[in-house]
Amino acid sequence: MSSTVSIIGSAVLALLLAGYMAQKYGLPPPPPKIVGIDLGTTFSSIGVYHAVTGDTEIIADDLGKRSIPSVVGFLANGSVLVGHRAVEQQEKNPLRTIYDAKRFIGKTFSEDDPQFIADKERYPFTIKLFENGSAYFEIPLSSSIKIVTPEEVGSIIISYLRNAAEKEKKTPIAQLVISVPAEFDDIQRNATAKAASLSGMEVRRIISEPTAAALAYGLHKKKGVEYIVVVDLGGGTLDVSVLWLQGGIFVTQAMAGNNRLGGQDFNDRVQHHLMDHIESKYGKKLEDKEDLQQLRMAIEEAKIRLTTFPKAVISLDLKDLDTFDYVLTRDQFEAINEELFDHITEPIAAALEDAHIGTQDVDEIVLVGGSTRMPRVRKLVGSYFKRTPNYGIDPELAVVTGASVQAGVIGGGWPLQVAAMELASKQRKRHIYKEKRAPNVECSV
């Protein structure tokens, strides 16, 4: 027994010494064997934890983008485009470009399910159900119809990210830590793992997105932190999680959210407003699918610009209308979406109530998801808790950063860290959903 202990001790000492020498003399870190992946509804990313330096690197694709749209486009000949390339051709190819696939992964529906009916109307591509109620996408190719499942869409995105990482690091990578929403049940987690398996990768651990976000900010190492609230407002949903941290172990105490309150819902309100404006001013309804897709993309760009600037110009060449120019201000954007902003604090209040704590008991607040870039969202959350939330890390990259840290720990990256763990949550998410039509708000043209 003593000889075994001696061997293990020598191995650990050798690892520490190698790390110290490499850090002191600037030797390159060993190539990563495991990555962290955030397979998001709207954007996805991949990262690696670097042994020796302890840095986390989020890897860009060949276009230099670290946050990749979770979009897969199929050309008529069957060729596949991913990420920004898929988005670039989306407005000309709406029937063969799939996005938001994560909304359907591991779920079952019925044909008369109001949510499924609404989704079929919402998306330009065709969504159908297998006999077991799981969704699939029907892609019209030149000479055939291609059937694609949400898991297969996920696997295509994961393969794209993996290829970018292997090209950058010049080494094969076959293992990953992948993040999922805290509310995902075992079926949805298994479906996510299946997406990774279809891409040829081995899942070492599935980590909840709130826990990953907390890891990204190093809250597991911060003294005096017990209760953490993670507010995740992405492209599709608003999720609020209350985490209890004790001895390096995360436990999800409560979850609440609104599955119809995300960046796209803000966009939809603006789209309805602009379509009403066009019909009122020009006497024409905007119905062409390519025109509608072009409008949706322009609204997304305008929303992003309004996070930094007070106004954004929407300028389009539409089949139904020719040239269309519109000035959208931040104040007008917020007025159009006033009711949605009003609903943001409802899941926060519900999660705190279910966790049996008040705002004064919360030690840290973390903002995650691209939609938390909106100044109004940060102001609302800060006012609710009467303190400034954490948002120093790019909110779109916080989850992948934490997943990469966990991957580094599992991979034995030096300097050695205490692995933060999470207990499987048995909590049920409280769903809050109120749907109201956006009011008409006068905007300048």
Side-chain angles (χ1 to χ4, degrees):
M1 177 62 129
S2 60
S3 61
T4 301
V5 172
S6 177
I7 291 172
I8 294 174
S10 298
V12 172
L13 180 61
L15 176 63
L16 292 171
L17 182 60
Y20 170 77
M21 296 296 288
Q23 195 172 46
K24 182 175 180 179
Y25 295 106
L27 299 178
K33 299 297 182 184
I34 179 171
V35 294
I37 286 183
D38 173 19
L39 182 64
T41 303
T42 312
F43 288 93
S44 298
S45 300
I46 187 169
V48 297
Y49 172 87
H50 287 298
V52 181
T53 65
D55 295 333
T56 302
E57 178 188 4
I58 311 305
I59 297 172
D61 66 358
D62 60 348
L63 298 176
K65 306 294 185 180
R66 297 190 299 165
S67 191
I68 311 302
S70 302
V71 181
V72 175
F74 297 87
L75 302 184
N77 62 4
S79 299
V80 180
L81 300 173
V82 183
H84 288 89
R85 290 186 177 89
V87 171
E88 287 171 358
Q89 56 85 61
Q90 189 172 359
E91 65 184 62
K92 302 293 184 183
N93 189 27
L95 299 180
R96 291 190 289 262
T97 303
I98 309 300
Y99 56 94
D100 283 4
K102 184 177 173 180
R103 282 190 182 227
F104 303 94
I105 197 165
K107 293 183 179 180
T108 56
F109 306 87
S110 61
E111 292 288 355
D112 59 354
D113 184 336
Q115 180 179 326
F116 180 67
I117 293 171
D119 283 336
K120 286 205 299 184
E121 294 174 352
R122 178 177 192 168
Y123 297 106
F125 46 84
T126 301
I127 310 169
K128 292 187 176 181
L129 298 179
F130 290 116
E131 288 186 3
N132 65 359
S134 62
Y136 67 90
F137 311 111
E138 196 173 78
I139 314 296
L141 302 180
S142 295
S143 57
S144 64
I145 298 294
K146 184 177 181 65
I147 303 301
V148 181
T149 65
E151 292 83 358
E152 288 170 332
V153 173
S155 74
I156 292 170
I157 296 169
I158 292 172
S159 295
Y160 179 86
L161 295 170
R162 176 190 185 181
N163 290 336
E166 290 182 336
K167 183 177 180 181
E168 172 67 22
K169 298 304 166 189
K170 298 179 175 58
T171 185
I173 301 173
Q175 298 180 332
L176 81 163
V177 170
I178 193 165
S179 61
V180 296
E183 69 173 275
F184 264 27
D185 59 22
D186 288 342
I187 295 174
Q188 291 169 294
R189 285 172 175 249
N190 289 338
T192 304
K194 181 181 178 181
S197 297
L198 289 172
S199 73
M201 298 195 76
E202 175 191 355
V203 178
R204 291 292 303 274
R205 182 169 297 172
I206 295 176
I207 184 173
S208 76
E209 292 168 0
T211 297
L215 286 175
Y217 282 95
L219 299 185
H220 60 298
K221 298 183 291 185
K222 192 172 181 179
K223 291 184 178 180
V225 174
E226 186 175 1
Y227 285 105
I228 302 166
V229 171
V230 179
V231 179
D232 185 347
L233 183 60
T237 62
L238 167 62
D239 290 311
V240 179
S241 302
V242 177
L243 305 180
W244 180 61
L245 176 61
Q246 194 69 30
I249 299 176
F250 288 94
V251 181
T252 301
Q253 296 286 86
M255 295 178 286
N258 189 331
N259 286 353
R260 286 296 181 269
L261 178 53
Q264 291 183 14
D265 300 285
F266 289 91
N267 292 3
D268 286 347
R269 292 258 175 150
V270 176
Q271 181 178 331
H272 283 305
H273 177 78
L274 291 181
M275 289 173 68
D276 288 346
H277 169 79
I278 288 171
E279 186 174 359
S280 173
K281 182 170 182 178
Y282 300 99
K284 291 183 178 181
K285 284 189 176 182
L286 204 61
E287 296 178 325
D288 182 82
K289 286 196 172 184
E290 290 187 11
D291 281 353
L292 291 172
Q293 184 60 29
Q294 190 181 164
L295 179 61
R296 278 191 286 266
M297 293 177 66
I299 290 170
E300 173 67 16
E301 292 175 3
K303 180 184 67 177
I304 293 172
R305 182 172 177 81
L306 291 176
T307 63
T308 306
F309 300 99
K311 66 179 181 179
V313 178
I314 296 174
S315 184
L316 303 171
D317 289 320
L318 304 173
K319 292 181 180 178
D320 287 344
L321 200 66
D322 295 327
T323 302
F324 174 68
D325 294 307
Y326 198 91
V327 177
L328 182 66
T329 69
R330 183 187 294 171
D331 288 343
Q332 292 158 350
F333 177 87
E334 293 180 354
I336 292 169
N337 287 294
E338 188 66 35
E339 285 183 302
L340 294 182
F341 285 116
D342 287 344
H343 293 323
I344 284 175
T345 57
E346 291 172 353
I348 299 176
L352 293 178
E353 180 183 349
D354 290 351
H356 306 294
I357 62 173
T359 57
Q360 72 280 0
D361 300 309
V362 177
D363 301 299
E364 296 285 346
I365 307 105
V366 176
L367 296 185
V368 182
S371 295
T372 61
R373 287 196 183 100
M374 288 188 277
R376 180 73 174 275
V377 173
R378 293 180 176 179
K379 183 179 179 181
L380 282 168
V381 176
S383 297
Y384 189 85
F385 286 99
K386 295 182 174 59
R387 78 193 79 165
T388 303
N390 291 290
Y391 55 79
I393 296 174
D394 185 331
E396 283 183 355
L397 301 178
V399 170
V400 70
T401 298
S404 301
V405 169
Q406 187 67 84
V409 172
I410 291 173
W414 191 91
L416 297 176
Q417 303 181 39
V418 177
M421 301 290 292
E422 62 176 345
L423 296 182
S425 175
K426 300 301 181 183
Q427 301 295 324
R428 294 184 64 85
K429 176 182 173 182
R430 194 200 296 195
H431 292 272
I432 298 171
Y433 174 40
K434 298 178 181 179
E435 183 176 33
K436 296 179 181 180
R437 180 65 191 275
N440 286 328
V441 178
E442 193 61 39
C443 299
S444 58
V445 180

